[in-house]
Amino acid sequence: MKRRSYTCGLDAAIDVMGGKWKGLILFWLGEGPLRFGELRRAVTGISERMLTLQLRELEASGLVHREVHHQVPPKVEYSLTQFGHSLLEVLSPLGQWGEENMERLEAAHGGGASGSTPESAS
C-alpha cells in the first residue's frame, strides 16, 4: 500500500475502507478466522480475484492477518488483527444505521440490494 497524506481522519478511514467489499469482509472475519473458500461463500457476489485483492489490501493496512498452516493440503486462514477489531467496532453503528434505514435506501435506489450483508446473514 502506497504511503499518502490525509486531509482528515475521515479521509484516512474512507481510504482504508474504500470499495464495496472490505466492510463485508471485516464483518465476516469478526465472527472468527475463515479460510479463503469460507470467506468467498460468505461474501456473496465477490469474485475470487476481487477477494484476493481486497484481502491483500486489508493485510497491507494491518487490519487482517493471514496465517499459513504448513500441512498437506496447505491451509490458510484469515483473521482480524486488534487493529481490524478496532475498525469493526466503529463500523457496527454504521451497520445499525443501514439496517434501520434499509427499506428507505432500497426504495430510493429502485429496489433490493445484491450481495450478502451482515443483516441478511442474521
Side-chain angles (χ1 to χ4, degrees):
M1 183 173 238
K2 64 182 177 184
R3 184 178 172 96
R4 69 172 279 216
S5 297
Y6 297 112
T7 58
C8 66
L10 187 57
D11 183 26
I14 290 173
D15 181 49
V16 78
M17 285 304 305
K20 173 180 180 177
W21 303 110
K22 288 179 183 169
L24 293 172
I25 292 168
L26 292 174
F27 168 79
W28 289 109
L29 290 178
E31 300 289 309
L34 292 172
R35 295 177 70 172
F36 185 88
E38 295 169 328
L39 195 50
R40 179 140 191 278
R41 285 186 293 279
V43 183
T44 306
I46 194 168
S47 69
E48 285 187 27
R49 182 178 188 281
M50 182 57 69
L51 180 56
T52 298
L53 291 171
Q54 298 295 283
L55 284 168
R56 285 181 185 160
E57 289 180 17
L58 290 167
E59 187 179 5
S61 296
L63 298 167
V64 168
H65 173 70
R66 180 179 185 265
E67 184 170 351
V68 178
H69 299 273
H70 298 287
Q71 63 185 51
V72 177
K75 178 180 174 183
V76 178
E77 284 187 321
Y78 296 90
S79 60
L80 291 184
T81 62
Q82 279 302 116
F83 190 45
H85 279 287
S86 72
L87 179 56
L88 189 58
E89 286 177 23
V90 299
L91 288 176
S92 292
L94 183 61
Q96 183 64 37
W97 179 88
E99 190 169 333
E100 291 169 3
N101 293 287
M102 195 178 310
E103 287 183 25
R104 179 179 183 173
L105 294 168
E106 287 175 349
H109 293 284
S114 63
S116 69
T117 63
E119 293 76 28
S120 66
S122 302

